[in-house]
Amino acid sequence: MLNAAVLPITEPAANDILSSASASPSSDPATYLHNLNALRAFQPAIAKIIDQTPIPATVRCVEARDRTTALQLQDPSGRMMWFGGSSMPSISAEEMFSTATDSGGNVTLPGILTGLEPLVLARRLPECRAIFVVESNPLFLKLAMRLHDFVALFSRGRLVLFIDDDLPKRVNDFFQTYPGFLLPTQIFRVPQRTSAEIFELQGRLEAIGEKVAGLQAEALNAAVGRISRRSSPEIPEKPRVAILGTDASPGSFELADRIARGLKKLGWTHSVCVPESPGKCHIVARVNAMARIDADVALWINCRSGPVTSLVPSIPMVAWYSLDALISLVESDAHSSELLMISERQARGFDSAIAKTCIEVMAPAADDTVFHPLTADERDAALEIDVAIVANLPDDDPYHCGVSLPSLVSVWQVAQRMIQRDPDGYDASLAASIIEQAERECGIAFQDAKIREQFERNVRDRIAPTTIARADAEAIANAGFRVSIWGDNWKDASLKFAVGHGPIPSPSKLNQIFNGMSIVVIPTGGDSDTQIALDAMCAGACVIMRGASPNDADRGLIDPALNPYFHGYCSRPELIANAKRLLSDRDGRMASSIEARKLVLSRHTLSHRITQIVNRLRIR
């Protein structure tokens, strides 16, 4: 629970009413109506009560001490009081939730308070988390809806309003309508409520929660019943596919979107339920997504199917992992009915007996529904320059990686400088010797073998790839090419020689980049980088990629026919030579790009990977 100080009340000057959470005054009367319409679509019964609640003539619109627009109301004795109990709402709301983190589940807020608190809290919580406001006075909800813009929160189910007149019924009705929400797991302590009031509300919510859990169990059984009656033991030619997940990371959402687009191109019916909003987080939501389309196959994104496998054993389950996901297997997986789709690199090191029964190795694939050549009129002329570097670099900041002791930071930084001196001479086999030399220079010696192993892994997986990629970018820019960079962890110091554009953008924007650049350079060599390369080829771009061979053991691609189109390089001089050769021969570059695109479309799209999965399931 969180605590916050009670702020004093002073008499301010009058002003207009806020229309958003930005704390800039506005007299726009549409704010309340926009909120009301959004709430009607989400919680119509609550919206009706709020709309029918009159606003007393004594309510005053004023300027608060923090220069935001606020309201004052009369208390029973006739004294004017601040709405929400704060004369500085923008400051008190931020302080109240300054220690709130994105861990944990849904939360309960004991009252709407000044109205800013739900907005501040929503910014600190993941998109899949909801704020349940329990308010005894509907007038306060109406006033908050006149001050602040809650439309986005209502529309995504992130702000749920309960009027505390008949709380058990209100909560029960909500979960009857939206069984995919999770119950709140914590209630915040706020200065406007006494400890006794918080404790009493918490007790009531716990009792109500037990009944809601029973309601959700009934909903789950009903959904399972619909699936078991409709499932067929054989997978049809065009199976109905449910895309499901419990992982709330952006990478999982992106993969789910890519797969959905691939299924749409195949013409296969599909549904998607990943926890991108609060209403898609309970197991009921996932099973309902299967029942809604009479699913023949369930694809789980970056997670296992868990208890759903035993609930609906007739539905084949597939765990499809992102190319950079961490995966673990146990001995019991050898007898699991679930199929894991992972890259060749991810499959290394697993026991062969386990891998043989439950793993299907899958190469990266292009999303041909988004990445394609554009006409001259469709292209963004501002993006037509020589070289685009597209790569998310590993974070090589020691402090971000949990290394904070000065002696260990020194070893880390010495290792960085050693690779900076000769990036072309680095090889993964040198990681151990680099750490040994760094130890000697720093005058320390690792006594713990695990610490040494972790440092060697950091050299291989973080320090070296990022240091080498930055050196490559600097080299090609210094050779006279116009260079633009997209991706994470390209530090300011490394962008003095090129134009940095921030994170890799949305697929449609990235397609514009691939179409505008003469050459796309990918200075890293992981599976996700190979996927970027395939997307670029699908867009008709010419790709230069670091690595002796795009199909070597570290690349994870299993099609030698792609080798000529990656224009691989192992050193900065080779990178520059490739770039000069390709830029000087436009016709040859375009012809190569056309052939590369044909090859990708014939073998390496998401449709091919989805078909690979289904064919594997048919022979299991």
Side-chain angles (χ1 to χ4, degrees), residues 142-199:
K142 188 167 192 174
L143 295 178
M145 288 168 61
R146 292 177 67 88
L147 282 172
H148 306 294
D149 184 353
F150 300 117
V151 170
L153 296 184
F154 289 148
S155 299
R156 292 187 58 80
R158 298 201 63 208
L159 181 58
V160 181
L161 304 182
F162 292 131
I163 298 173
D164 195 7
D165 52 354
D166 186 356
L167 192 58
K169 183 178 186 306
R170 298 284 182 204
V171 176
N172 185 78
D173 289 349
F174 177 82
F175 280 94
Q176 284 276 9
T177 306
Y178 302 108
F181 277 71
L182 293 171
L183 284 161
T185 57
Q186 60 179 319
I187 181 171
F188 283 104
R189 188 182 302 277
V190 297
Q192 295 90 333
R193 301 290 183 269
T194 67
S195 295
E197 289 173 328
I198 297 291
F199 183 78

Side-chain angles (χ1 to χ4, degrees), residues 23-202:
S24 57
S26 171
S27 58
D28 182 5
T31 301
Y32 170 71
L33 290 178
H34 290 325
N35 281 325
L36 184 66
N37 288 334
L39 186 59
R40 279 174 174 158
F42 180 44
Q43 292 181 274
I46 298 296
K48 182 177 181 180
I49 294 173
I50 292 173
D51 195 39
Q52 291 175 346
T53 300
I55 297 178
T58 54
V59 174
R60 296 163 48 187
C61 179
V62 297
E63 184 179 88
R65 293 174 61 201
D66 58 1
R67 296 188 177 278
T68 64
T69 303
L71 298 174
Q72 286 189 328
L73 304 83
Q74 278 189 350
D75 66 12
S77 67
R79 178 174 177 267
M80 297 304 293
M81 63 178 186
W82 288 101
F83 173 57
S86 174
S87 64
M88 297 188 291
S90 66
I91 296 174
S92 63
E94 291 288 349
E95 289 183 350
M96 191 179 300
F97 302 112
S98 61
T99 59
T101 66
D102 59 4
S103 60
N106 295 336
V107 301
T108 299
L109 196 59
I112 195 66
L113 308 180
T114 70
L116 269 175
E117 288 79 3
L119 294 164
V120 170
L121 189 53
R123 291 200 304 268
R124 296 180 181 274
L125 297 177
E127 286 287 323
C128 61
R129 297 296 174 234
I131 302 161
F132 291 80
V133 171
V134 180
E135 177 57 69
S136 59
N137 192 341
L139 170 63
F140 294 164
L141 297 174
K142 188 167 192 174
L143 295 178
M145 288 168 61
R146 292 177 67 88
L147 282 172
H148 306 294
D149 184 353
F150 300 117
V151 170
L153 296 184
F154 289 148
S155 299
R156 292 187 58 80
R158 298 201 63 208
L159 181 58
V160 181
L161 304 182
F162 292 131
I163 298 173
D164 195 7
D165 52 354
D166 186 356
L167 192 58
K169 183 178 186 306
R170 298 284 182 204
V171 176
N172 185 78
D173 289 349
F174 177 82
F175 280 94
Q176 284 276 9
T177 306
Y178 302 108
F181 277 71
L182 293 171
L183 284 161
T185 57
Q186 60 179 319
I187 181 171
F188 283 104
R189 188 182 302 277
V190 297
Q192 295 90 333
R193 301 290 183 269
T194 67
S195 295
E197 289 173 328
I198 297 291
F199 183 78
E200 186 273 337
L201 176 59
Q202 184 176 13

Side-chain angles (χ1 to χ4, degrees), residues 558-575:
I558 45 178
D559 186 357
L562 282 166
N563 275 353
Y565 305 109
F566 279 92
H567 304 287
Y569 70 97
C570 297
S571 66
R572 288 167 294 169
E574 192 175 1
L575 165 62

